[in-house]
């Protein structure tokens, strides 16, 4: 299996997961959590219809995202909004989706909350990381995302509801 063939399989799996009713997409519309971006955004891992069934599809999206490739949530975003919506929000795994959108000029501005360690935000991103959030590497996350705003979150406060406390609309 060649690397590009594996990536085709990962993308096919990502699409299948988003289409499967028990799993669903991480891209959501009309979610007041994403008030900064007209209630549209991309959730992190473990936020699908069924967490256990969705886990393999989240892993596929992680593999695609760290390579800078689109996942099915990018497809869902573009299918629903096209490039008309100039803003997008993402949390955790959803930031990898939004990095793709922002890096490729598919949205003017992205807001990234708890960007996973090792991922680098595009220039058109507003980045927030938790000081002790293990997903983004805590303070070490500033090594790759110098402009990130660091907020005082403990390791168990990774959830987006904790980041929302620090969002200024």
């Amino acid at each position: 299996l060649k690397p590009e063939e594996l990536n085709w399989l990962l993308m096919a799996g990502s699409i299948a997961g988003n289409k499967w009713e028990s799993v669903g997409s991480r891209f959501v519309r009309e979610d007041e959590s994403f008030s900064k971006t007209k209630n549209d955004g991309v959730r992190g891992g473990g936020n699908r219809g069924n967490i256990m069934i969705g886990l393999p599809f989240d892993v596929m999206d992680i593999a695609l995202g760290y390579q800078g490739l689109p996942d099915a949530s990018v497809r869902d975003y573009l299918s629903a909004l096209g490039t008309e919506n100039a803003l997008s929000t993402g949390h955790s795994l959803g930031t990898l989706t939004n990095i793709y959108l922002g890096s490729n000029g598919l949205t003017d501005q992205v807001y990234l909350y708890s960007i996973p360690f090792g991922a680098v935000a595009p220039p058109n991103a507003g980045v927030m990381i938790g000081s002790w959030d293990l997903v983004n590497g805590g303070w070490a996350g500033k090594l790759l995302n110098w402009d990130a705003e660091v907020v005082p979150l403990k390791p168990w406060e990774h959830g987006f509801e904790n980041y929302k406390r620090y969002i200024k609309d």
Side-chain angles (χ1 to χ4, degrees), residues 87-169:
L87 306 170
S88 186
T89 296
H91 170 256
S92 193
L93 172 55
T95 65
L96 298 179
T97 301
N98 281 287
I99 288 171
Y100 181 85
L101 291 168
S103 296
N104 290 286
L106 300 171
T107 182
D108 293 336
Q109 177 79 35
V110 291
Y111 297 96
L112 311 174
Y113 300 96
S114 190
I115 182 172
F117 189 76
V120 179
N124 60 344
V127 181
M128 184 183 291
I129 60 176
S131 58
W132 297 104
D133 185 338
L134 299 176
V135 170
N136 60 52
W139 283 99
K142 291 272 287 181
L143 293 172
L144 298 172
N145 294 291
W146 298 350
D147 295 336
E149 177 185 355
V150 180
V151 295
L153 293 177
K154 309 222 179 339
W156 56 87
E157 294 182 310
H158 171 70
F160 188 55
E161 64 277 355
N162 295 304
Y163 281 88
K164 287 191 305 187
R165 298 188 315 228
Y166 300 99
I167 296 174
K168 301 169 195 98
D169 284 326

Side-chain angles (χ1 to χ4, degrees), residues 3 8 10 16 18 27 44 61 64-65 75 81 83 85 87 104 127 131 151 159:
W8 277 104
L10 290 170
N18 282 24
F27 168 69
D61 290 350
L64 290 166
R75 180 188 151 281
L81 303 172
T83 55
N85 189 3
L87 306 170
N104 290 286
V127 181
S131 58
V151 295

